[in-house]
Amino acid sequence: KKMMAEAEKMNQTVKIAREDHEHELNALDEQHRLELKHRQEAHTAIKDGLVTELVVATEEVEQIRHETDAIIEENEKKYGELEGQVGHIEAECLEIRIKIKELEQSENELKQSLQDSEDMRDSISEELYSVSQERVELKSAIDTVKEISKEKLAEAQGANQEMTI
């Protein structure tokens, strides 16, 4: 009986120890669940924050992409306009080059015409000099003829007077 009572007492002690251990385990399990819940809430908050940041960043990227596309479109438009202007300027340059060639040709023609005029002037000057020389010679010849005519006239008048006498 004594042993039975002792065994019953031991059973009771083991039962109490088991219950205490179960309470401790349940308390630890509850504490672990609370910590896990807090961690999950913290992770969810961090995840939600990151998702929000990702959404904001995505919107910012889309806005930047939209602005970049608008800038690219504007630059392409300006590039097209500049290409048109460059083409127009190149056409004007070609026209100017053609005009320069025409002016150079005209200048060469004028130079040739001037040279021809100078050559003609030189030729005319030579002819004038030659005519002037001939005139001097003719004047001298006329003067000689006049002298001879005067002498002949004087002789003729003298002969006439002699005949009259």
Side-chain angles (χ1 to χ4, degrees):
K1 245 184 176 191
K2 197 176 175 191
M3 266 187 91
M4 284 283 262
E6 230 176 90
E8 188 61 34
K9 192 177 168 187
M10 252 178 111
N11 259 348
Q12 215 43 25
T13 306
V14 167
K15 191 177 175 187
I16 291 171
R18 190 179 287 151
E19 286 175 359
D20 285 349
H21 186 67
E22 256 183 57
H23 284 311
E24 279 181 30
L25 280 177
N26 284 340
L28 281 173
D29 192 36
E30 185 62 28
Q31 183 181 358
H32 182 68
R33 257 187 251 141
L34 282 173
E35 284 179 10
L36 190 59
K37 183 180 174 187
H38 288 306
R39 272 191 191 163
Q40 285 177 339
E41 288 172 353
H43 282 119
T44 300
I46 290 170
K47 187 174 87 177
D48 290 347
L50 290 174
V51 167
T52 302
E53 286 182 30
L54 180 62
V55 167
V56 169
T58 302
E59 289 172 355
E60 288 175 355
V61 165
E62 283 302 314
Q63 178 65 28
I64 290 169
R65 182 175 290 131
H66 177 72
E67 291 171 0
T68 302
D69 289 346
I71 290 170
I72 289 170
E73 187 177 318
E74 182 66 26
N75 284 345
E76 286 174 348
K77 181 180 173 186
K78 286 180 182 176
Y79 182 78
E81 290 171 0
L82 289 175
E83 275 186 325
Q85 290 175 0
V86 165
H88 182 71
I89 290 170
E90 286 175 343
E92 286 180 356
C93 286
L94 182 59
E95 288 176 19
I96 289 170
R97 283 189 200 107
I98 290 169
K99 286 180 183 176
I100 287 172
K101 291 290 183 192
E102 290 171 354
L103 288 172
E104 286 174 346
Q105 179 66 31
S106 179
E107 180 184 14
N108 288 338
E109 289 171 3
L110 286 172
K111 283 180 181 177
Q112 184 60 48
S113 176
L114 179 62
Q115 185 62 46
D116 291 347
S117 294
E118 287 176 354
D119 291 347
M120 191 180 294
R121 186 193 69 210
D122 291 346
S123 175
I124 290 171
S125 289
E126 288 173 9
E127 282 185 44
L128 278 173
Y129 180 76
S130 176
V131 166
S132 181
Q133 287 296 91
E134 285 178 23
R135 190 172 146 227
V136 167
E137 291 172 8
L138 284 173
K139 191 174 181 193
S140 177
I142 289 171
D143 288 345
T144 305
V145 168
K146 279 182 184 177
E147 270 310 303
I148 293 172
S149 293
K150 281 181 185 175
E151 288 175 7
K152 293 280 185 196
L153 184 61
E155 282 177 18
Q157 283 175 349
N160 228 359
Q161 279 178 352
E162 282 179 21
M163 280 181 61
T164 336
I165 306 177

